């Protein structure tokens, strides 16, 4: 016996695509018969009154062909949900009904349901004026008539049908007639919305012209509430519609009953509108088919309809023609019609006319196809046999199947010629028909079939969904993966498995897989155990692992090291451990397991609790006296930086919306390990810590890993990161320089003094400064103090979040100020928000520097006009004081308050005239400078008495001028003021020293 090679494949992806259909009408008759598995058919509602019984396909065809019609009419409904196999039964009947004289078979496939296709099938091989006319009417569909034209015509015909319709009740009264729904179909705004790409009218027009695409679901195209233009206000301005259309829309949009009635009316008018849009007269198809029946009187028409709901436009005409009795006035006028039609139970009951159902039930039993997946041995065998037949067909391929069926009428077993069949069958098994199940085994087949159920009907077997997913999709994917050693993939059948309600591997097993195997291998092993090991309950042969390129692992008996938990260090809350727990806690534990295994959404109450617990654990780990040292943040800052929501603690699959660019500090992925953690937290919170295993230790590990991110978040919120602190240090240092607090930045201690300086509001030289500069200085210094406090909080420690900083991180602070030193030529454009006001007010201080320069220049000019550089200010004041004192008796001093003058002179004697050259030096240095450089030059305290000196000299000049003016009047001679002052001072001094006046 040859051993099955690793990665062996006995099919080709191309062959699978060509051979395995997803629709009953897709394969040829030979492929259909070769792959056909007996259906489970229930015979119901026979006119004989017999109880429901299971019958075979052969029984159905035999009864259909031999039962006596009722007045030339026999209608046999085949009922089944979407994908159950009802269309397959009709197709099988078409392939097995013997062709005979007097028997005319018309087959309406659901993949050929355009108006033209249906008419051509109904009138096949029929000639004559009546038939030629109707062919002419539909011949242009899809060629002469475009989709856009068909859309507009359908819309127009619907509007007309609604306009001319008579009301049948109080609900539809406002919906029909001149001011009814037709208004919306004719109004330009609503019309454009109804004709948008992908709209119902668009899809209905495409179907009418081209029929249904094979990959589309077999759901009839009819109006639903969702197809009404109720969402037009999302994309358009309702004011652009006519007033009448607006009024109707407002009535419909708030009235659910009116919406349902509108849908009923529209669907009732739809077939008629489509027929008229296609230029088919009402009743044309009916008359044509009745003409066919008339010509074939004495024969039988076998009408096979794969899905009556999908027939486009002419359904009503056709159904009426089917129902028409063959006997007219006691004479047989029309051929008998035997109709076998597939339809879903709901459509049969709710959409087909009651008269049609009544005639059908009076003429034939109904055949129900609804194989239930009940887990019983019989049904399991049938399911495995079904899959086995199609696996065999995939190996043979379409061409071989057709050739063999043509020659032998029987499909061969591809495994009969395979050299590895013995090894393969012993490892993976076979169906009862002998077809190998590779790459599945029986467990994997049954699980795959159950994974492909319709979520709305989970107990019903859906052949179409199994063909599409479990066979076609898996085999085509495996053809590429097996040779690469990548089969089975993790999450085999993906979403289907998650939504099918299948049992999952025990949480402990999935956790061990995650912990013990590489990340890319664990999901594959989970698929292996879940499918081939039937969720870990059955052993998997080692050869199966080896064929898939995997190292064997034990599974199945619950006692191996992988699946047992009794000896583990971890004690997880398994279902058996949950006994005695409150029902609410049990439900929470189960919800977490479903979140992990089946990717269901984690309930919001559990998500909120977990986030809160993890957040608290992370915050408890935060320490602020090292790396970096900062003052402990206040509660509001922490809440803002690390909120108690998904922005901080994100849980995969918890239905949370996180803004783009936000990175949570903790991401709990949907893993078995995290599911165990979440269950443990739930148990701890509920007071059952003894059952939580190592949940606390694992929570601590998660918290420790998250601390750096949480700290970074808080630092970012506080704006204490290095980049922000460096920019603020620049601002504070420049501010200290512009205020004259420091003159040098050569030493680190100077920089630290600069950033820590809180400022003095009052300056000694304020009197000689420009008022705008003084006001800007005071505003900046006042604002700066708070910024300094915040800055120091970012590099220092304090007692709690309210105490002052008492210890600085000198290493970090030095690093920050050194980095700031290199960029002191201009103000930073961006600083932390807590320093923005101070930085803005510093910018104003820098902006007023030119005004201060101009102000000083004016004061210096005023001073130097009366005090040349060659003269000593002190000597000048002394001379003026002496002259004023001695000249009073001579009446030379024209001042009213001589005592005040003496006091002014005494005060002037104490003014510091050194400020005059100091300011002159600043003015010289400032020439050609601007911005921060200029502001820094103006910072130091200089010229504090400059304004007073200039004012004193000018006041002296005024009273001296007064005396000179009197002298000019007496002498009649113009006196040069400067010279006169000098002369007058000399004269006064002479009088004082000699006691005489020669003038």
């Amino acid at each position: 016996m040859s051993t099955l090679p690793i990665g062996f494949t006995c099919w080709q992806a191309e062959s699978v695509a060509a051979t395995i259909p997803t629709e009953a009408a897709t394969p040829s008759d030979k492929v259909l018969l070769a792959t056909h598995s007996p259906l489970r058919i229930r015979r119901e509602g026979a006119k004989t009154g017999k109880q429901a019984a299971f019958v075979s396909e052969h029984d159905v065809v035999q009864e259909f062909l031999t039962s006596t019609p009722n007045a030339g009419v026999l209608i046999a409904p085949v009922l089944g949900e979407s994908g159950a196999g009802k269309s397959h039964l009709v197709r099988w009947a078409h392939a097995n009904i013997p062709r005979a004289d007097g028997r005319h078979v018309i087959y309406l496939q659901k993949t050929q349901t355009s108006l033209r296709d249906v008419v051509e099938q109904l009138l096949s091989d029929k000639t004559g004026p009546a038939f030629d006319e109707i062919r002419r009417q539909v011949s242009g569909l899809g060629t002469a008539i475009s989709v856009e034209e068909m859309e507009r015509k359908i819309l127009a015909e619907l509007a007309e049908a609604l306009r001319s319709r008579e009301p049948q009740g109080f609900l539809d009264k406002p919906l029909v007639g001149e001011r009814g729904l037709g208004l919306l179909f004719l109004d330009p705004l609503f019309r454009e919305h109804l004709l948008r790409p992908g709209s119902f009218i668009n899809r209905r027009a495409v179907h009418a012209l081209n029929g249904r695409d094979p990959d589309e679901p077999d759901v009839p195209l009819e109006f639903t509430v969702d197809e009404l233009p109720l969402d037009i206000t999302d994309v358009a301005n309702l004011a652009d519609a006519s007033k009448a259309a607006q009024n109707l829309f407002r009535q419909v949009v708030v009235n659910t009953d009116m919406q349902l009635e509108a849908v009923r009316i529209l669907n009732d008018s739809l077939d008629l509108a489509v027929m008229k849009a296609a230029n088919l007269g009402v009743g044309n198809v009916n008359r044509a088919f009745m003409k066919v029946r008339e010509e074939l009187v004495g024969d039988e028409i076998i009408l096979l309809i794969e899905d009556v709901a999908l027939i486009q436009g002419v359904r009503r005409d056709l159904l009426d023609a089917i129902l028409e009795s063959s006997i007219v006035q006691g004479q047989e006028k029309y051929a008998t019609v035997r109709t076998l039609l597939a339809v879903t139970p709901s459509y049969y009951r709710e959409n087909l006319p009651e008269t049609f159902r009544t005639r059908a039930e009076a003429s034939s039993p109904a055949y129900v196809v609804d194989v239930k997946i009940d887990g019983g041995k019989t049904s399991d065998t049938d399911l495995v046999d079904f899959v086995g037949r199609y696996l065999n067909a995939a190996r043979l391929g379409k061409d071989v199947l057709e050739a063999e069926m043509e020659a032998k009428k029987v499909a061969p077993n591809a495994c009969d010629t395979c050299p590895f069949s013995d090894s393969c069958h012993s490892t993976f098994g076979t169906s009862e028909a002998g077809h190998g199940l590779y790459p599945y085994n029986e467990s994997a087949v049954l699980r795959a079939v159950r994974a492909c159920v319709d979520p709305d009907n989970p107990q019903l077997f859906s052949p179409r969904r199994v063909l599409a997913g479990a066979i076609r999709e898996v085999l085509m994917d495996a053809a590429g993966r097996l040779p690469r050693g990548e089969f089975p993939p993790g999450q085999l059948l993906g979403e289907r498995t998650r939504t099918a309600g299948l049992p999952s591997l025990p949480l402990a097993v999935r956790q061990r897989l995650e912990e013990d195997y590489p990340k890319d291998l664990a999901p594959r092993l989970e698929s292996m155990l879940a499918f081939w090991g039937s969720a870990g309950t059955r052993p998997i042969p080692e050869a199966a692992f080896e064929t898939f390129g995997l190292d064997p692992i034990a599974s199945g008996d619950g006692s191996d090291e992988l699946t047992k938990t009794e000896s583990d260090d971890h004690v997880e809350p398994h279902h058996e451990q949950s006994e005695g727990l409150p029902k609410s806690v049990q439900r929470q534990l189960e919800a977490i397991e479903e979140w992990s295994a089946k990717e269901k959404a984690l309930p919001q109450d559990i998500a909120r609790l977990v986030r809160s617990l993890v957040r608290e654990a992370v915050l408890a780990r935060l320490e602020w006296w090292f790396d970096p040292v900062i003052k402990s943040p206040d509660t509001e800052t922490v809440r803002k930086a690390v909120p108690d929501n998904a922005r901080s603690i994100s849980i995969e699959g918890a239905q949370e919306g996180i803004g783009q660019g936000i990175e949570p500090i903790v991401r709990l992925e949907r893993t078995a390990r995290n599911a165990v953690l979440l269950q443990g937290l739930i148990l701890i919170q509920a007071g059952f810590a003894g059952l939580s295993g190592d949940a606390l230790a694992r929570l601590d590990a998660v918290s420790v890993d998250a601390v750096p991110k949480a700290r970074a978040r808080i630092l970012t919120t506080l704006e204490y990161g290095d980049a922000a602190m460096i920019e603020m240090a620049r601002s504070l240092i420049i501010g200290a320089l512009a205020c004259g607090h420091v003159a040098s930045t050569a030493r680190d201690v100077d920089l630290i003094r600069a950033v820590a300086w809180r400022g003095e509001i009052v300056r000694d030289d304020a009197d000689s400064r420009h008022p705008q500069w003084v006001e800007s200085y005071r505003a900046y210094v006042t604002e700066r103090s708070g910024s300094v406090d915040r800055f120091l909080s970012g590099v220092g420690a304090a007692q709690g979040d309210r105490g002052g900083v008492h210890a600085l991180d000198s290493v970090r602070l030095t690093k920050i100020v050194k980095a700031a030193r290199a960029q002191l030529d201009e103000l930073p454009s961006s600083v932390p928000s807590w320093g923005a006001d101070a930085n803005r007010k510093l910018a104003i201080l820098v902006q007023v520097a030119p005004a201060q320069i101009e102000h000083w220049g004016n004061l210096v000019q005023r001073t130097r006009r009366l005090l040349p550089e060659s003269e000593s200010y002190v000597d000048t004041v002394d001379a003026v004081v002496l002259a004023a004192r001695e000249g009073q008796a001579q009446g030379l001093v024209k001042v009213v308050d001589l005592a005040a003058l003496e006091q002014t002179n005494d005060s002037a004697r104490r003014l510091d005239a050194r400020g005059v050259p100091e300011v002159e030096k600043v003015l010289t240095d400032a020439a050609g400078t601007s911005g921060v450089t200029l502001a820094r030059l103006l910072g130091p305290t200089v010229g504090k008495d400059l304004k007073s000196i200039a004012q004193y000299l000018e006041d002296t000049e005024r009273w001296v001028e007064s005396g000179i003016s009197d002298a000019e009047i007496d002498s009649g001679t113009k006196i040069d003021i400067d010279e006169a002052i000098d002369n007058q001072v000399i004269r006064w001094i002479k009088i004082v020293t000699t006691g005489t006046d020669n003038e």
Side-chain angles (χ1 to χ4, degrees), residues 635-903:
T635 302
E636 179 58 25
T637 298
V638 174
R639 185 200 62 76
K640 183 179 178 182
V642 189
D644 193 4
N645 57 36
R647 292 180 64 249
S648 299
I649 315 298
S650 175
I651 306 173
E652 183 182 357
Q655 295 182 342
E656 55 195 25
I658 303 176
Q660 190 173 7
I662 296 177
E663 178 60 30
I665 61 173
V666 173
R667 283 190 182 274
L668 293 176
E669 296 179 348
R670 195 196 303 260
T671 64
R673 181 176 177 80
N674 283 335
V676 172
L677 169 61
L678 266 59
Q679 287 186 333
L681 295 180
I682 292 296
L683 289 167
I684 292 171
Q685 187 69 14
F688 298 94
L691 298 177
S692 66
D694 64 350
L696 282 178
R698 290 171 62 174
L699 175 62
D700 188 61
V702 169
S703 304
V704 169
D705 291 343
V707 162
K709 287 185 179 179
R711 180 183 287 114
R713 270 272 198 97
I714 294 174
L715 289 175
T716 299
T717 301
L718 290 169
E719 299 174 272
Y720 283 168
D722 284 352
M725 294 291 282
I726 289 171
E727 291 301 281
M728 196 62 220
R730 281 179 61 196
S731 179
L732 292 173
I733 293 171
I734 291 173
L737 291 169
C739 293
H741 176 65
V742 291
S744 170
T745 58
R747 300 175 303 165
D748 294 344
V749 67
D750 295 325
L751 297 171
I752 294 172
R753 285 177 51 225
V755 297
W757 177 65
R758 286 180 171 79
E760 294 86 21
I761 300 295
V762 179
R763 288 182 64 103
D764 291 343
D765 61 351
D767 192 49
S768 293
R769 296 271 178 169
H770 191 289
Q772 191 176 7
W773 190 95
V774 173
E775 179 57 32
S776 299
Y777 168 85
R778 288 174 177 169
Y780 168 65
V781 170
T782 301
E783 190 66 43
R784 174 189 173 96
S785 180
S787 298
V788 170
D789 288 341
R790 286 296 300 270
F791 181 90
L792 295 179
S793 294
V795 291
Q799 290 292 336
D801 60 1
R802 296 184 181 276
V805 173
H806 60 76
L808 295 176
D809 182 348
S810 61
V811 174
R812 182 171 183 239
L813 178 57
T814 301
K815 177 182 176 182
I816 289 171
V817 296
K818 281 184 175 180
R821 173 194 287 156
Q823 307 174 67
L824 299 179
D825 294 333
E826 60 180 292
L827 284 174
S829 59
S830 176
V831 296
S833 59
W834 45 263
D837 286 344
N839 191 61
R840 183 171 58 255
K841 291 180 179 180
L842 174 58
I844 295 173
L845 183 63
V846 172
Q847 291 171 5
V848 301
Q852 179 60 48
I853 289 293
E854 183 179 357
H855 182 70
W856 269 346
N858 179 263
L859 290 177
V860 169
Q861 184 180 14
R862 289 165 56 191
T863 301
R864 286 305 184 195
R865 183 175 67 83
L866 299 172
L867 183 67
E869 292 186 39
S870 59
E871 299 292 340
S872 166
Y873 170 73
V874 174
D875 291 344
T876 298
V877 173
D878 287 345
V880 170
V881 169
L882 181 61
R885 185 183 304 127
E886 297 300 331
Q888 291 176 17
Q890 305 298 323
L892 302 176
V893 179
K894 304 297 183 178
V895 176
V896 176
D897 191 347
L898 294 176
L901 175 61
E902 289 183 5
Q903 186 176 357

Side-chain angles (χ1 to χ4, degrees), residues 803-999:
V805 173
H806 60 76
L808 295 176
D809 182 348
S810 61
V811 174
R812 182 171 183 239
L813 178 57
T814 301
K815 177 182 176 182
I816 289 171
V817 296
K818 281 184 175 180
R821 173 194 287 156
Q823 307 174 67
L824 299 179
D825 294 333
E826 60 180 292
L827 284 174
S829 59
S830 176
V831 296
S833 59
W834 45 263
D837 286 344
N839 191 61
R840 183 171 58 255
K841 291 180 179 180
L842 174 58
I844 295 173
L845 183 63
V846 172
Q847 291 171 5
V848 301
Q852 179 60 48
I853 289 293
E854 183 179 357
H855 182 70
W856 269 346
N858 179 263
L859 290 177
V860 169
Q861 184 180 14
R862 289 165 56 191
T863 301
R864 286 305 184 195
R865 183 175 67 83
L866 299 172
L867 183 67
E869 292 186 39
S870 59
E871 299 292 340
S872 166
Y873 170 73
V874 174
D875 291 344
T876 298
V877 173
D878 287 345
V880 170
V881 169
L882 181 61
R885 185 183 304 127
E886 297 300 331
Q888 291 176 17
Q890 305 298 323
L892 302 176
V893 179
K894 304 297 183 178
V895 176
V896 176
D897 191 347
L898 294 176
L901 175 61
E902 289 183 5
Q903 186 176 357
T904 298
N905 288 334
D906 289 342
S907 298
R909 178 67 178 74
R910 293 191 293 273
L911 295 177
D912 188 355
R914 290 175 299 178
V916 178
E918 290 175 352
V919 171
E920 287 178 321
K921 183 177 184 307
V922 172
L923 293 175
T924 300
D925 294 342
T929 63
S930 61
V932 169
T933 303
L934 178 60
R936 290 174 57 176
L937 288 172
L938 306 186
T941 300
V942 294
K944 65 184 183 66
D945 293 336
L946 180 58
K947 181 179 179 181
S948 297
I949 292 172
Q951 188 67 48
Y952 170 76
L953 291 176
E954 289 172 344
D955 289 345
T956 299
E957 179 186 38
R958 279 192 291 274
W959 60 259
V960 169
E961 280 183 333
S962 177
I964 292 173
S965 177
D966 289 346
E968 287 178 342
I969 294 173
D970 292 341
S971 65
T973 304
K974 184 70 175 178
I975 301 174
D976 179 84
I977 184 64
D978 292 332
E979 183 181 354
I981 291 175
D982 292 340
N983 292 336
Q984 188 66 17
V985 170
I986 292 172
R987 178 184 172 205
W988 288 343
I989 294 174
K990 182 178 180 182
I991 292 172
V992 171
T993 55
T994 63
T996 63
D997 183 359
N998 295 330
E999 295 188 10

